[in-house]
Each structure stands twice: as structure tokens, then as C-alpha cells.
Amino acid sequence: AQRVTQPEKLLSVFKGAPVELKCNYSYSGSPELFWYVQYSRQRLQLLLRHISRESIKGFTADLNKGETSFHLKKPFAQEEDSAMYYCALSPNTGNQFYFGTGTSLTVIP
Amino acid sequence: NAGVTQTPKFRVLKTGQSMTLLCAQDMNHEYMYWYRQDPGMGLRLIHYSVGEGTTAKGEVPDGYNVSRLKKQNFLLGLESAAPSQTSVYFCASRFGLGEQYFGPGTRLTVT
């Protein structure tokens, strides 16, 4: 069963426009949610995780347990934000990870 | 401090051949993971390890075996490669419940 759903495979926005990458999950209990990013020719790396409640590179994500969502948002997109973004879930046991299918974000100059 | 390294970077196999992918980390991490990345499928967990000498199955373990004889190394084996195993393979390691650190990937083609 798909635990993490990213409905948009491709997303294009203009520079300076707001951007939202959607992530929905299905899991009973209290999972941990993450956003990972893969820039061109670079390794996959952690962008942010819900427990840290940080803003990284202007991105934020709020865990909405009622809607089982963990959408990634940024008010003003920059060209350097163009990348592949993956939402991931780790059950509260902490051993396994489930990734979504990814969203390729392109920021148009 | 090299982080997570993977060997080889690229490989082409014929159907039925075997090979081993090596993942090494120098961060003293307990947890290690093997994923495959396929277009439209995201990353799927093949096997993982929570410590030296222990391994467990992930989402898509069939056709793969793993070993963790040393804490710093996590090997992924394909005993009889199939075209369906053409993919990009990523290794990752993690300390406790911290973030995962990923390797650069191995691109495998099975003809």
C-alpha cells in the first residue's frame, strides 16, 4: 500500500512566485515526516523534517495530522530551487523509510 | 571524512550474471539502507540493517541479498541479474533517528 503520495510529478513556477509541493501520507500512529531534495548532479539530501520545525532555504512544511499531509511551501521561489523533491515517512519504530514518487520542480526565470 | 561511498558507479550486466554492490560509510552509523530508484516509482527500500551482523527486508527485497559483516560496510548482492533490476541504486546511512546520508548512486543496466 502506498504510504506516501506526491500527486504532482512535474511542477513549474515563475521566479518569485509561491510554490507548494504536496505530500499526503497514510499511516496509523505518529510517523516522522521528511522532505529530501536532489539537485542536479548532487546526492539526495535532507531538506527538513517535521520535528525540527525549521525553515530551510526559505522552505517550511507543516504536519497536518487531520488531513495526513505534509506539504512543502516557499513564498518566493528562486531558480536554485529547481530540483527533485521527495517526501518520506518513517514509522515511529524508526527503522524503515517510505518515499513518495517525487516532484520535479522547475523555477522559470 | 568521505561520508557514504558506493562502488562501482556504473555497471552493465548480462541476464543471469551476478554482482555485488559495496556501500561504505565512515561516520560510525548504526543504520544502513539500500534503495532502488526507478522513474515514476521514487525510492523503494530493498533491505536495511540496524547494526553489524543484522539485516532486514524492505519493500522490494526479492532478487537481492545483503550482508553487514562490518559496521562500516553494507553489501548488496544480485545472484542472477534480471532486466527488471536495471535501476539506480542508492545506499544511505543513519545515526539513531537522525537524518539519512546518501551515497552518490550506482547505475546498473541489465541486458
Side-chain angles (χ1 to χ4, degrees):
Chain A
Q2 184 67 37
R3 296 184 186 271
V4 180
T5 303
Q6 293 179 250
E8 305 132 333
K9 286 187 179 179
L10 303 170
L11 185 62
S12 296
V13 299
F14 285 100
K15 178 183 174 180
V19 61
E20 180 180 53
L21 288 81
K22 291 184 169 52
C23 173
N24 291 91
Y25 67 92
S26 60
Y27 185 78
S28 58
S30 298
E32 189 165 1
L33 276 297
F34 304 81
W35 276 100
Y36 280 82
V37 61
Q38 189 172 27
Y39 299 104
S40 179
R41 302 183 189 280
Q42 292 188 29
R43 304 184 184 203
L44 203 65
Q45 59 187 281
L46 178 69
L47 182 60
L48 53 81
R49 56 197 298 183
H50 87 273
I51 61 169
S52 62
R53 294 184 171 272
E54 290 177 305
S55 173
I56 305 294
K57 299 185 179 183
F59 284 98
T60 59
D62 291 319
L63 179 60
N64 186 321
K65 292 186 178 180
E67 296 182 358
T68 60
S69 67
F70 188 55
H71 303 328
L72 184 68
K73 301 177 184 180
K74 185 170 182 177
F76 307 104
Q78 303 299 314
E79 291 179 63
E80 55 266 28
D81 297 329
S82 295
M84 179 69 85
Y85 291 81
Y86 291 97
C87 182
L89 175 153
S90 181
N92 50 14
T93 55
N95 291 341
Q96 296 206 37
F97 274 79
Y98 299 93
F99 281 78
T101 52
T103 297
S104 177
L105 174 66
T106 300
V107 180
I108 304 164
Chain B
N1 189 334
V4 180
T5 59
Q6 292 183 230
T7 309
K9 289 188 170 63
F10 305 94
R11 185 75 185 267
V12 178
L13 286 179
K14 293 186 177 179
T15 298
Q17 287 185 318
S18 63
M19 78 164 294
T20 300
L21 283 69
L22 170 64
C23 176
Q25 52 96 3
D26 59 3
M27 297 175 283
N28 202 34
H29 287 173
E30 290 292 335
Y31 295 81
M32 295 188 75
Y33 305 82
W34 274 110
Y35 294 90
R36 59 178 291 173
Q37 183 185 43
D38 302 291
M41 303 290 285
L43 275 78
R44 291 180 292 168
L45 183 62
I46 303 171
H47 287 279
Y48 65 98
S49 169
V50 301
E52 181 178 319
T54 71
T55 62
K57 294 180 180 180
E59 280 184 275
V60 289
D62 295 342
Y64 305 94
N65 55 74
V66 288
S67 64
R68 183 104 182 264
L69 299 179
K70 294 183 179 180
K71 187 176 184 179
Q72 63 267 35
N73 295 337
F74 194 28
L75 278 65
L76 178 71
L78 286 74
E79 289 186 349
S80 180
S84 60
Q85 294 177 304
T86 294
S87 187
V88 180
Y89 291 86
F90 287 99
C91 175
S93 70
R94 189 187 196 201
F95 180 75
L97 298 181
E99 69 176 277
Q100 288 186 87
Y101 290 85
F102 282 84
T106 294
R107 187 173 295 275
L108 175 66
T109 301
V110 183
T111 62

